[in-house]
Amino acid sequence: MSNQNIDICSDYLLQMIGIGKSFPGVRALNNVNFNLQKGEVHALLGENGAGKSTLMKVLAGAYREDEGEIYISGKQVFLGSTRQAQNEGVGIVYQELELIQKLSVAENLFLGNELAFHKFPLLIKRKEMELAASKILNGFGLDSINPSSLVEELGIAEQQLVEIAKVTSKTHFKILILDEPTSALEKNEIETMYNTINMLKERGVGIIYISHKLDEIFRISDRITILRDGNYVDTVDTNSITQSTLIKKMVGRELKDLYPKQHVKIGPELLRLENVSSNILNIHNISFTLNRGEIVGVYGLMGAGKTELGKTIFGVKGGIDKGNISIKGKKVSINSVQDAISQGIGLVPEDRRDEGLILNMSVTKNITISAIDQVIKNNLISYKRERDTAKIYKNDLGIVTGSLETKVRNLSGGNQQKVVISRWLFGNTEIFICDEPTRGIDVGAKIQVYNLLSELASKGVGILFISSELPEILSLSDKIIVLRDGMISGVVDGRNATEENIVTLAIGGNIDE
Amino acid sequence: MSSRRASSEGVKTFVDKLKSFNLAKGMNPLLALLGIGLVVSFLSPNFLTIINLKNILVQASVVAILASGMTLVIITGGIDLSVGTLMAMSSCVMGLSILNTKLGIFMSILIALFSGALVGLISGIIISKGNIAPFVVTLGIQGIAQGIALLITSGYSMYGFPETFLFIGGGELLGIPMPVLIMILVYILMYIVLEYTKVGRYSLAIGGNEEASRLVGINVDSYKIIVYTLNGFMAGLAGVVLSSRIASSHPGVGAGFELDAIAAVVIGGTSLSGGEGTIVGTIIGAMIMATIKNSLNLLGVSPFIQKIAIGAIIIIAVLIDSISKKRNN
């Protein structure tokens, strides 16, 4: 085993050795190594789904690793729960802050560790807590924050610093995990964040820094560890590597021909967007066309606006604020989901269980729900027509289910996805917006979904294929739209696309000529 | 041991078979109703008589009519606390119209039904367009409807309705009491609405997953409004039937009936979290409540203890439901 060459050494604050973690149908982490020194900022880098957050959740005690060992200060530890991880000195600050808005700063800082009277442990020493809180805040240069003010009265940046103060003020604190800490911050607030990080460094805290922003990583980190598809790639010193080598390491995988795209003759135009903007969904100046038989990929990092683009076209938050949408060459106005559906658009949403399916309804009813008028005879729903309809799609798409009356809740992810697609096929949809259609389903089912999408395209349907998985987007798409901050940062022809140039566009670098 | 297991498996397959019929979705409540009936018929010789059974049906009818609309509301994931005072309001509107105008009985009843429906419509609009919790909106409407009833009657009761009107609550047709006949018609109608129309199907979808319902193109707001309007209409109808039965209209008619209706729905197996429920279950739920009240009366149990018993039964019904769900998952 390669693990044996790694010395367990108390010089390291943290060593994670040979970490493996599987979820049903997914190998999320495979033999991953990671280490951290005192007073170091160690960036963790990788695409969406590379395993960064899984690894950090293992460290924070939120997930239990299947294989591997974790050492803190040279001592092997077992982090079975977040509580245990905290006791070992690990703290994590998530993107979504975990402060309770309606409680005061002091109450948040001591949440779960309230200072109470010895004899009456249910009585809280409010004054002492506030005093102690202001001491902690002073330590972070946050003198301006009143410990008795409510968290909701603070700005996002201040809240984040309070959360960091809360996490790091625990006794024996050693390791801080920051997950995209600057994503919600303004420029000057980012500087304050850097100052805080530097101060913690000087105190000897080890910091693991997760970010997609390369310029930040180069500015703040000492070393970088790169993950890809759940595997460990490399650990490098930040000042000995260039941006382009780093991107290569991030994406540099062999593209296996897992997803054969059928060659489909591209037909006439179906959908055209011209300078489309939606303020509420933070989508700006989007223009592209989707033709019959075409699969247009949409790629971007988290928060780039992929899902929001789909929802804009589908009329989820009402009409667009600017621009034009045309369907088959005719300008249309889409102000609601009903409008979009009547124009032949269907959405296969990212979150199947919360947005796509009515889980407690049968397979049949989920298939017919959107075009129920087609099974209504003499003003009443015909159960026979419904069953006949469902049978057709069950056979055509190969939906595996006990019976058509089975609740859709009980189907596997891949089969649930087929139910959603059947629904739109029954509604004579011609424009499919598929948002992460393979998320959370196993590899075999993924390939079935790919084949299904190719087949739909070959029948003259147009597909907007939103995905954060590069291999599938590269192999299926005729054309790839790359989004960043709700805008198109580049459109790449499917044949010329490489992972490097797409990621570069997504991150905001320039494609080197 | 083994024979007991065999017989319980036999019952299970029997139940499974019954479950494959749409009508028999409310199996558990039906078994409970039959069980209660069986026990009481041994305890009291007066239970299993035509007169007493008719009596139970009549007692159940008003709550059942009210609960039919409530079933749909609860299936969408909502609740309506205003139906009790809405009964009072409709009853008073009708009483005033019969006694003080020349509109006649038929028109007066129609006005009562539509006043109920109108208030339901208003609740539905506020709930869906204002995006406010149904509990809060209908709690407010509860007070408003009560206030209107008091205002238009100055708090007095009205008596002396013509004989033709009293037929609705007290008459019989082909040996069937009119309230029971009305209840049966309502349930046939509501069964069709729930199982065979868009209103029913979409209500199940909305209660099951509101966001997904929007994304498959259901106009969620409109269908919620329809459901609350229908519920208000049923409250009006329940008010009319009850007024006729007691031969008076007053602002106190229907007090507390909203809770009986909700209890009937819940005992009938409809999930308070929405998305699941049957109309057949609800009528059985209403029967169970009436049967228990009737049985305790026959057995000479104090009415105070009856209240405790009914309360306990509501909790037990929901408990059984939640346990069987846990097992299924």
Side-chain angles (χ1 to χ4, degrees), chain A residues 374-446:
Chain A
Q374 291 188 44
V375 295
I376 287 182
K377 210 168 92 180
N378 306 327
N379 293 320
L380 298 177
I381 296 169
S382 157
Y383 281 59
K384 185 179 175 310
R385 280 197 192 177
E386 274 201 298
R387 260 196 312 277
D388 293 346
T389 304
K391 254 182 222 157
I392 293 172
Y393 290 104
K394 179 179 181 250
N395 293 336
D396 282 5
L397 274 65
I399 300 171
V400 179
T401 169
S403 95
L404 289 169
E405 297 311 309
T406 306
K407 284 182 182 177
V408 84
R409 166 190 297 284
N410 298 322
L411 269 57
S412 71
N415 285 303
Q416 288 181 342
Q417 202 62 283
K418 289 180 191 169
V419 170
V420 178
I421 291 172
S422 301
R423 170 195 298 156
W424 294 124
L425 287 174
F426 181 52
N428 299 321
T429 300
E430 292 188 307
I431 300 165
F432 273 77
I433 303 170
C434 296
D435 193 356
E436 306 280 359
T438 64
R439 170 162 295 173
I441 63 182
D442 61 43
V443 177
K446 276 185 181 183

Side-chain angles (χ1 to χ4, degrees), chain A residues 441-453:
Chain A
I441 63 182
D442 61 43
V443 177
K446 276 185 181 183
I447 291 170
Q448 285 186 16
V449 170
Y450 300 141
N451 286 333
L452 186 57
L453 293 182

Side-chain angles (χ1 to χ4, degrees), chain A residues 167-442:
Chain A
V167 167
T168 55
S169 64
K170 302 238 159 84
T171 39
H172 314 303
F173 187 81
K174 294 181 191 123
I175 297 163
L176 176 65
I177 306 164
L178 291 172
D179 186 5
E180 301 268 357
T182 60
S183 56
L185 299 187
E186 306 286 328
K187 263 215 168 78
N188 56 332
E189 295 170 337
I190 292 176
E191 285 306 317
T192 321
M193 175 65 63
Y194 288 162
N195 290 339
T196 308
I197 289 173
N198 283 327
M199 186 203 71
L200 287 167
K201 267 177 82 162
E202 280 163 29
R203 287 194 201 169
V205 171
I207 296 166
I208 304 171
Y209 192 91
I210 302 177
S211 175
H212 277 121
K213 299 180 187 165
L214 285 187
D215 50 340
E216 261 180 31
I217 285 180
F218 275 99
R219 162 99 195 264
I220 194 83
S221 74
D222 302 303
R223 288 192 299 159
I224 304 169
T225 287
I226 303 115
L227 299 183
R228 188 200 310 143
D229 297 335
N231 291 300
Y232 172 82
V233 178
D234 202 0
T235 299
V236 294
D237 284 332
T238 305
N239 46 27
S240 71
I241 192 163
T242 65
Q243 186 161 328
S244 65
T245 353
L246 202 57
I247 291 179
K248 270 213 186 83
K249 281 182 187 288
M250 261 171 81
V251 299
R253 94 194 88 195
E254 296 288 317
L255 238 194
K256 295 186 201 99
D257 205 9
L258 254 179
Y259 334 105
K261 162 115 169 69
Q262 295 172 10
H263 280 277
V264 173
K265 229 188 96 205
I266 295 200
E269 178 183 302
L270 266 177
L271 172 73
R272 171 189 289 274
L273 268 65
E274 288 166 312
N275 292 314
V276 166
S277 298
S278 161
N279 297 333
I280 186 163
L281 287 163
N282 198 22
I283 288 294
H284 307 287
N285 283 319
I286 302 286
S287 305
F288 68 89
T289 57
L290 172 67
N291 302 317
R292 281 192 186 281
E294 195 177 29
I295 298 180
V296 172
V298 178
Y299 182 80
L301 298 174
M302 258 209 299
K306 301 189 294 285
T307 297
E308 288 75 10
L309 174 59
K311 290 195 166 170
T312 302
I313 300 168
F314 199 54
V316 174
K317 297 275 159 159
I320 55 177
D321 296 309
K322 229 182 71 195
N324 295 314
I325 298 180
S326 317
I327 286 174
K328 297 177 199 165
K330 234 177 69 196
K331 232 171 91 175
V332 295
S333 76
I334 294 174
N335 295 314
S336 66
V337 171
Q338 287 92 331
D339 288 350
I341 291 172
S342 70
Q343 295 294 343
I345 306 175
L347 174 71
V348 178
E350 176 185 19
D351 189 334
R352 253 190 329 276
R353 299 177 75 84
D354 282 348
E355 299 188 326
L357 294 164
I358 295 138
L359 290 171
N360 282 332
M361 270 194 174
S362 66
V363 174
T364 303
K365 289 177 179 173
N366 267 286
I367 291 176
T368 56
I369 188 83
S370 186
I372 195 127
D373 286 333
Q374 291 188 44
V375 295
I376 287 182
K377 210 168 92 180
N378 306 327
N379 293 320
L380 298 177
I381 296 169
S382 157
Y383 281 59
K384 185 179 175 310
R385 280 197 192 177
E386 274 201 298
R387 260 196 312 277
D388 293 346
T389 304
K391 254 182 222 157
I392 293 172
Y393 290 104
K394 179 179 181 250
N395 293 336
D396 282 5
L397 274 65
I399 300 171
V400 179
T401 169
S403 95
L404 289 169
E405 297 311 309
T406 306
K407 284 182 182 177
V408 84
R409 166 190 297 284
N410 298 322
L411 269 57
S412 71
N415 285 303
Q416 288 181 342
Q417 202 62 283
K418 289 180 191 169
V419 170
V420 178
I421 291 172
S422 301
R423 170 195 298 156
W424 294 124
L425 287 174
F426 181 52
N428 299 321
T429 300
E430 292 188 307
I431 300 165
F432 273 77
I433 303 170
C434 296
D435 193 356
E436 306 280 359
T438 64
R439 170 162 295 173
I441 63 182
D442 61 43

